[in-house]
Amino acid sequence: MAEPALQPTPGRRFAVRRIPGFATIAAVSFVLLYAPIATLVAYAFNAGDSIALWEGFSLRWFAVAWGNELVQEATVRSLVVAASASAVATAVATMAALGTTRTAPFPGGMLIYALINQPLMVPEIVTAVALLIVFAMVKIATGYSGLGYLIAAHAAFCVPFAYLPIRARLEGMDLSYETAAADLYATPWQTFRRITLPLMSPGIVAGSMLAFVISLDDVVITEFVKSAGQDTLPTYMLGQLRRAVTPEVNAISTALLAVTVLLLSAFFVLNRQRR
Amino acid sequence: MSRRLTGALSALAMLVFAGTAAAEGELNIYNWGNYTNPDLIKKFEETYKVKVTITDYDSNSTALTKVKAGGHGFDIVVPSANYVPIFVNEGLLLESRPDQMSNFKNVDPTWVDVPWDPGRKYTAPWQWGTTGIAVNTDAYSGDPNTSAIFMDPPAELVGKVNVVPEMNDVIGLAIMYVGGKPCTADKDVLRKVRDQLMAAKPKWQSMDYGMTEKMSNGDVMASVNWNGSTFRVRAKNPKVVYGYPKEGYVVWMDSVAVLKDAKNVENAKLFQNFIMDPENAALISAFARYANGIKGSEKFMPEDMKTAPEIVVPEQFKAAGTFLPTCPKEARDLYTAIWTELRK
Amino acid sequence: MAGAPAPGRSGEAAARAARIRRNWLLAAPALLLLLLAASGPLLVVVVYSVLEPAEYSGVVWELSGEGWFRVLFHRDIFDETVGLADAHLTIFWRSASISLLTTIITLLLGFPTAYFIATRPPRQRTLWLFLVTIPFWTNLLIRTFAIMEVVRNQGILNSWAMAAGIIETPIQILYTDTAVLIGMVYVYLPLMVLPLYAAMERLDFRLVEAAYDLYASRWRVLTRVIVPLVKPGIVAGSILVFIPSLGAYVTPRVLGGGKNMMISNLIELQFGEGRNWPLGAALSMTLLAFVMLALLFYVRNMSRLERRG
């Protein structure tokens, strides 16, 4: 067959790819996606107290949020939990990926896969309730009520998010490098450290970033598992949303949004450079 | 790379455990939402070098459930009067003897020997107030002094009434509306209460708390609400008035108690003593806009509280106020059953 | 890790056994973590669903069918008659219908959007994808809050409608089912667009051209050529939206005002004022069962599609 026609055939004034109305709906969708966020960001700069009545431009709510001790603590706690959970989840997922990819099917393989990806299938509220019950028993039995529960819970549900990118990367990797290393008398451990791991690293980085963001974002499980004074940023905001809604929440949201956009931009730029 | 990784991991571990290691002085308060003056907390923190955290709840039953479940980590809880005996009977409170503390002499005699805590062995007074109806006169210009606003909403308010999820207040108001006596276990009366509530529910807008903000913002036009909260709403939105239901309204008091499995008992006791000081009690009232039970605090209270109709009950409504006692178990079980049916 | 298998029959079997052992060992930490903090606790929930509720919270360790009974049935407080638990059924129905509506609306909005992005010049596509991804990565609470600000009585929708003279007093949208639906569509739209885009990117437009060459109308090309070709994307997107919608918690809680509950909120209630942990446990298992059913449906559909294509 002739080369694929990417331009309209001569004589045909007809855009093959265009479907009438679709561009409009797409435009509407984008507007719909961004209008609420735009409003939210706009009101973060509201000089007044209300989140509905515009009273002039001001940065005061950012100052309020910055100076708010509860917000500071919640932010630090969120970051600590996310970093720890991401580290644990990534480490554990890397090993699991190594054990379940590029290997012939083995008994229990499907079971392992299902168990690892279970958090993706089970609704969060169910896990939250289950953890509430179990951790309550453990708290009473051991008397420990620190961040450990939160980190464990977060690490668990972050595992599939770390696992899938690593597995994808591993599956796409060429075995020839490792075979070559073996041919050159490298021990399995040396091969792993010097060849496999570095080759895997984009997947590991992607997996850990994903796990970090997912942990940072979590509301339901944290809300149920946390003890006294253990608010993370999302649970703090949830509390504020249910009671005293001031533009402070807008300011915090805007700051979080800025961080997300920065991270995502970095991710996109890095990805492009790789090509 | 492995060395850097280990370094990073150990730094992280230290951060994590430093955060959870018991701080030198700590106090974890479990209180109603939007009810604690941040200035009061700051003063307490500076006076005693204690770090305070506040977690909030929206109803007595939420607090009871969470505390009973265990492993909560709180030191202080602030239940309403009729819940204190329940907490005591479940073995959840510590007998911290506020009556033996140095500031106890400041407690107003009316609130010293109360039926729910005779001699004040467990609790120190926090604030007291009434439960009535808050109405935005822009939406409804009729008489706000009736429970019919939520039991049988007038046409203008259908779909615009909120009912706070506090079981005892709502059931108390409902019982008095149908003509029963508080704490009744009379099944005929209660059946009427249940039927009327269920019939009214579709006409409600929501069953949420946080009315202080929501009515100020105009998200809600009418609600069962507490007097102090309505006072704060009126300060932001002058169109809102507070109604005292003529069929009968609820008078309540919240008190501060120390939990039996508290980890910071000494700090908790310091806090109980702290709030019985007139100046500090005035701080509490100034924020949430309720009266407190400490004599001598009047001179520190803000001016507008001395004449506001939310605080000083108008003569014609005084008789309709009833202090909710702790009801017998049979009645309580029925109320709980009605409430869970209503809540779904 | 590449290790050469030892030659010979018994060597192969030993190598295979060693490989299986190694795989299990590597997967062990992940399995342990998940068993302790995800799967294991689910078993506890199953156990709790057949116990008796304690007075204020927790359970009494005595077997009881009350939890499961109350999922569907209801015993009147005063005259002990047994009937269907209307309130629960309403909530199940609300969850299912809102989830279904969300899926349909996001499909209607997302299909053209994904198609639009897929038909941009390749260099532009990254930018468009970036624009779709930002809302996707934004914190769920922030997104729900943003919708709250739009639909409330003094939010944009009402203010503009009043300014334009369409209405005189604000329409109450917040704290209704409509607000929850709007919130859900907003939150899940990116989740529908991305898998659809993935399928459309691989669409071979020569087939589309061929259809036009055969004098097909645009509508026919759309329905008979494009849609069937991207069906896996449609199914994937629908599942990715429907299942999380069923279990949604934050959106109905913030936008529903405590009255328009979905299943998650009903479950939460049992652990708070509802004071019925066994019922909460039973409801959790019911939700899980629904989700598993939906997943099963998806898996069977996908394998059928794969077999055909």
Side-chain angles (χ1 to χ4, degrees), chain A residues 121-123, chain C residues 96 235 239 242-243 246 263 284-302 304:
Chain A
M121 300 186 288
V122 176
Chain C
V235 176
I239 286 289
F242 186 73
I243 291 189
L246 269 184
I263 302 187
S284 303
M285 290 294 116
T286 313
L287 177 60
L288 191 56
F290 280 141
V291 165
M292 289 296 153
L293 265 166
L295 267 175
L296 205 65
F297 175 75
Y298 167 65
V299 168
R300 288 180 64 213
N301 245 303
M302 281 309 269
R304 216 176 340 130

Side-chain angles (χ1 to χ4, degrees), chain B residues 60-82:
Chain B
N60 280 302
S61 34
T62 310
L64 180 55
T65 313
K66 183 100 188 202
V67 169
K68 181 99 198 288
H72 46 79
F74 303 121
D75 305 308
I76 288 216
V77 69
V78 187
S80 301
N82 48 358

Side-chain angles (χ1 to χ4, degrees), chain A residues 131-147 149-150 222-230, chain B residues 28 30 55 63-75 92 259-263, chain C residues 57 277:
Chain A
L131 289 178
L132 169 76
I133 297 178
V134 169
F135 284 173
M137 293 198 279
V138 176
K139 277 180 203 173
I140 301 183
T142 62
Y144 168 72
S145 64
L147 278 183
Y149 300 107
L150 274 181
T222 316
E223 180 77 5
F224 277 72
V225 169
K226 66 178 179 155
S227 301
Q230 274 183 1
Chain B
N28 296 306
Y30 194 34
T55 312
L64 180 55
T65 313
K66 183 100 188 202
V67 169
K68 181 99 198 288
H72 46 79
F74 303 121
D75 305 308
L92 300 170
L259 288 165
K260 198 171 249 165
D261 47 2
K263 299 239 174 76
Chain C
S57 80
W277 288 31

